Amino acid sequence: MRYPEDELIDILKKGGVDFICSLPCEKFKNLLELIYRNFPHAPLTREEEGVGICAGAALSGKRPAIFVQSSGIGNMINALLSLTGFYRLPLAIFVSHRGIYKEKIPAQIPMGKSLPKILKGAGVGYTNVSRKGDLRLIEKKLKAVYQKEKIHAFLLSPAVWEKSEFKMQDARCRIQDAKTVIHHGSYIMNRVSSSEPMHYTAPPRFTRYDILDIIAPYINSKVVICNLGFPAKELFYIKHQPSNFYMLGSMGMALPIGLGVALTSKKDVVVIDGDGSLLMNPGSLATTAYFSPKNLTIFAIDNGSYSSTGDQPTLTGSCVDLELVAKGFGIKNTFKVATEKELINVMKKAGKGLRFIHSLAIPGNKDLPNILLNNLENKKQVQEFLSKK
């Protein structure tokens, strides 16, 4: 007798899936255990974050998939449309479809019942997988996801797993000791002490445009994932290169995209992020710390304002220190910089390893025209750069 969990794993492998993100659901917990053992896998803090990580993996040529509960689709819609769909990046979404079959949690019912209409309204194709025999419907649709660079959701009813007697025989991956977490796969991250002293620096003196101009020579030939709005326009006019990915939507996704690229490529990756963006999706710092990729630098330009929407203040101007936040999430190598000398020194710093650079800035935008490059041309340039050895 073949278990439905084994059958779906075989379908994923046959479809060429080679990178998976997930948030847990009790209804397919055994399936997730198999996924941990069979695929490069990223555990998430939020579903939207997974959309960004999968987008980065797709830029690197991977075939990503994401496993979530139906309630999580509500956290993903904007990123699915303004990032994955907008740049025509493939993504297979496997949804534990709650609220429609023997549901014991009333709060799951509204989203579960509305989910097909929500997906249809968003223009996202979906396939109902209502019983074990329907798993065969996935194979053909999954192939088209990657061939046609589409988003497609597979709505997995709890009935698919209801009569399965599949049980994991060995213990799941656990923390082995107080210092090391071993992830299913090849990623290892050393936990850090929170007792290290903070870095202090002079008050901010440059705008974001000035800072980008100073660091431009040090991001040459690196993959640069740039935050949306004025940051992207400023980088384009200061230093356009084929390896720059300019975000045009999906605020809060710069770091997840960069993490996805860093985990699936050997290229050096620099994420140019902002305070408003990081505050919108801070859990991505935890996921980044967990993997701690050696080829990733997070360059957070903090001017205490939402610059692209009228310079409304962010909370970094009153009560939040982004360097402390990064440390609290487990990122060991953090730096706070403001002067030209500090900026140059930190960008020239030799050695490999995850770094978080907290660059203090004063508010202000450079008055520039829109980027002279459309979204699909930008995607193609970055993919071609990443495909080169």
Side-chain angles (χ1 to χ4, degrees), residues 35-257:
I35 286 171
Y36 302 158
R37 286 161 168 73
N38 284 275
F39 298 92
H41 168 261
L44 304 172
T45 62
R46 180 177 168 85
E47 296 87 356
E48 185 185 42
E49 170 193 35
V51 177
I53 294 174
C54 287
L59 285 173
S60 295
K62 298 297 182 181
R63 292 185 167 194
I66 186 169
F67 283 73
V68 297
Q69 284 192 35
S70 49
S71 56
I73 294 294
N75 296 331
M76 299 165 65
I77 289 293
N78 178 60
L80 285 175
L81 300 185
S82 62
L83 175 60
T84 313
F86 184 63
Y87 287 94
R88 296 185 188 173
L89 297 166
L91 181 61
I93 309 170
F94 291 87
V95 184
S96 181
H97 196 182
R98 303 293 298 272
I100 48 97
Y101 181 80
K102 297 183 180 181
E103 182 59 64
K104 296 180 180 180
I105 301 176
Q108 293 279 7
I109 295 173
M111 187 65 176
K113 286 187 173 181
S114 301
L115 184 55
K117 293 180 180 179
I118 290 171
L119 292 170
K120 184 177 180 180
V124 175
Y126 66 91
T127 298
N128 285 307
V129 182
S130 301
R131 55 190 177 85
K132 181 178 181 292
D134 291 342
L135 288 171
R136 58 185 173 77
L137 301 174
I138 296 174
E139 193 168 329
K140 184 177 180 181
K141 294 286 187 180
L142 186 60
K143 184 178 181 180
V145 167
Y146 304 112
Q147 287 182 342
K148 298 181 180 180
E149 298 182 314
K150 298 287 187 180
I151 306 169
H152 195 87
F154 300 95
L155 308 187
L156 306 171
S157 169
V160 174
W161 328 105
E162 185 178 37
K163 296 182 180 180
S164 175
E165 297 179 358
F166 177 87
K167 301 292 182 185
M168 296 304 299
Q169 298 301 314
D170 56 343
R172 71 185 64 189
C173 175
R174 291 187 171 92
I175 295 176
Q176 303 298 314
D177 55 52
K179 295 182 179 180
T180 304
V181 174
I182 303 179
H183 177 67
H184 290 288
S186 60
Y187 308 114
I188 296 178
M189 164 237 169
N190 291 322
R191 299 192 59 158
V192 299
S193 169
S194 61
S195 62
E196 295 186 11
M198 289 299 301
H199 302 101
Y200 297 93
T201 188
R205 59 190 66 182
F206 299 119
T207 65
R208 181 186 51 249
Y209 184 90
D210 298 328
I211 291 168
L212 291 174
D213 196 39
I214 291 169
I215 70 169
Y218 307 100
I219 59 174
N220 188 55
S221 296
K222 292 180 171 62
V223 180
V224 181
I225 310 298
C226 188
N227 193 24
L228 79 169
F230 279 100
K233 290 198 292 185
E234 290 173 356
L235 179 65
F236 181 82
Y237 283 95
I238 289 171
K239 188 178 181 61
H240 172 63
Q241 54 185 354
S243 56
N244 288 356
F245 184 77
Y246 305 104
M247 292 181 61
L248 301 175
S250 302
M251 185 171 172
M253 290 290 98
L255 178 53
I257 296 169

Side-chain angles (χ1 to χ4, degrees), residues 322-343:
L322 287 179
E323 187 187 14
L324 273 176
V325 171
K327 277 188 171 295
F329 275 121
I331 297 178
K332 182 176 181 179
N333 294 316
T334 67
F335 308 86
K336 195 184 300 292
V337 296
T339 68
E340 183 174 2
K341 182 178 179 181
E342 289 171 337
L343 285 162

